[in-house]
Amino acid sequence: MITYRINTIRRFIIYSLLFPCLFIGQIFSQTYKLTKQSDFGLAAGIIGLGIIDIHLNNNLESLTANQIMMLDRDDIWKIDRFATSLRSIQADKWSDYTKYAAYALPTILLMREETRQDLPIVGVMLVEVFGLNAAITTFTKTIVKRNRPFTYNEDVGIIDKQVRSARKSFVSGHTSDAAALGFFTAKVFSDLHPHSKWKSVVWAVGAGLPIVVGGLRIGAGKHFLTDVLSGYGMGALIGYMIPHIHKRKNTSRIQVQAGANGTVRLLLALDK
């Protein structure tokens, strides 16, 4: 119940942030651009899917005692079956901690002063990534209704198995969140700093942290391997494609630097 309330609050915050996006005009950026048609449609789609998510979640029924007794490990794909024997409370806690670390990844984009002018449009794209990923993840969970691995584990009490979230295994929301934010951060950093020596490091962190999150979710008995792989792929695609579709073609970046004796230098960088 607590998890459901937290997710409901999260969706409310996301959808509330999307409303100002509908009325933002052409924010200036040398690298990205907003269009009323695509961004209005995306925001409306996220909000609409979110409303459907809330309805589906309210009508999701928990497992009955009889249904739990009928669960059989042999009905699970062999590639996923090992997860039914895992149930680590520490892994569950650390999966939350590492997910929160992924939430902080976009702050990397604040470290370089010369890109501050791009932050308004980057903020809009970040809200779109987070909102779209949350909406699709929740929709998939409530449509598929896959039982979590721990529901097959005899060492887990029946009360824990009879919560609605026990039927939301596919896809892994922790992993999709981390992948979406990780790939978004790496993609935007690469676009804004195409020649930075830190680009490969940012990509390694952005792509690697979701793997850690997914592994911990499996160890916690919350997800199967295929849940994590699917969540990773979905989040990575969303995180990468939102900046990609907003990027200007053949962009140029102008930097102003102060020189000696009060002189000013203009630097022009062309990106194809």
Side-chain angles (χ1 to χ4, degrees):
M1 180 64 70
I2 294 177
T3 302
Y4 169 67
R5 289 177 178 175
I6 292 175
N7 288 335
T8 300
I9 293 173
R10 184 181 71 168
R11 286 196 296 268
F12 175 77
I13 293 174
I14 293 171
Y15 305 147
S16 297
L17 289 174
L18 281 170
F19 275 108
C21 297
L22 300 179
F23 304 101
I24 292 177
Q26 188 69 27
I27 300 176
F28 175 74
S29 169
Q30 296 178 359
T31 308
Y32 302 106
K33 65 177 179 179
L34 297 176
T35 60
K36 293 181 179 179
Q37 294 81 4
S38 61
D39 290 285
F40 180 88
L42 182 58
I46 293 172
I47 294 172
L49 188 56
I51 294 173
I52 296 175
D53 288 345
I54 295 174
H55 173 74
L56 291 174
N57 191 81
N58 290 338
N59 288 278
L60 180 64
E61 297 181 355
S62 59
L63 292 170
T64 65
N66 185 56
Q67 288 174 321
I68 294 173
M69 291 180 61
M70 295 296 292
L71 294 177
D72 188 350
R73 282 189 173 95
D74 292 335
D75 295 333
I76 302 171
W77 295 339
K78 288 184 179 181
I79 192 176
D80 284 329
R81 202 170 296 166
F82 75 96
T84 61
S85 300
L86 304 176
R87 183 60 169 166
S88 170
I89 302 301
Q90 287 300 317
D92 194 5
K93 290 181 179 179
W94 276 100
S95 70
D96 287 336
Y97 299 154
T98 49
K99 182 186 72 169
Y100 299 147
Y103 287 170
L105 285 178
T107 59
I108 294 174
L109 304 174
L110 299 174
M111 294 182 178
R112 306 194 71 165
E113 186 175 354
E114 64 267 24
T115 59
R116 299 284 172 82
Q117 64 181 2
D118 295 292
L119 293 183
I121 193 170
V122 170
V124 172
M125 293 190 299
L126 178 60
V127 172
E128 291 176 343
V129 166
F130 201 70
L132 182 61
N133 185 71
I136 295 179
T137 297
T138 304
F139 180 78
T140 305
K141 285 176 175 290
T142 52
I143 288 293
V144 176
K145 302 176 185 177
R146 189 182 195 186
N147 299 323
R148 294 188 186 272
F150 70 79
T151 60
Y152 296 85
N153 193 328
E154 297 84 357
D155 296 330
V156 178
I158 191 171
I159 295 179
D160 293 332
K161 299 176 181 179
Q162 288 187 303
V163 295
R164 285 191 294 185
S165 63
R167 303 188 67 190
K168 296 181 179 181
S169 188
F170 187 85
V171 294
S172 172
H174 279 60
T175 308
S176 66
D177 279 351
L181 295 174
F183 275 73
F184 171 82
T185 301
K187 169 63 173 169
V188 172
F189 186 89
S190 297
D191 289 343
L192 297 181
H193 312 291
H195 307 297
S196 172
K197 64 180 181 179
W198 294 103
K199 188 167 64 172
S200 59
V201 176
V202 175
W203 269 110
V205 174
L209 186 57
I211 297 176
V212 176
V213 174
L216 290 170
R217 295 303 283 171
I218 295 174
K222 291 293 185 72
H223 288 289
F224 297 102
L225 176 60
T226 50
D227 300 334
V228 168
L229 293 176
S230 300
Y232 188 100
M234 184 180 72
L237 181 64
I238 292 173
Y240 183 90
M241 288 305 299
I242 291 296
H244 179 72
I245 63 177
H246 286 84
K247 189 177 181 181
R248 295 179 182 273
K249 304 300 181 182
N250 297 321
T251 59
S252 61
R253 299 184 59 82
I254 300 176
Q255 297 182 10
V256 180
Q257 294 183 354
N261 301 321
T263 60
V264 176
R265 293 186 300 173
L266 294 179
L267 303 179
L268 176 63
L270 299 177
D271 298 322
K272 296 183 178 181

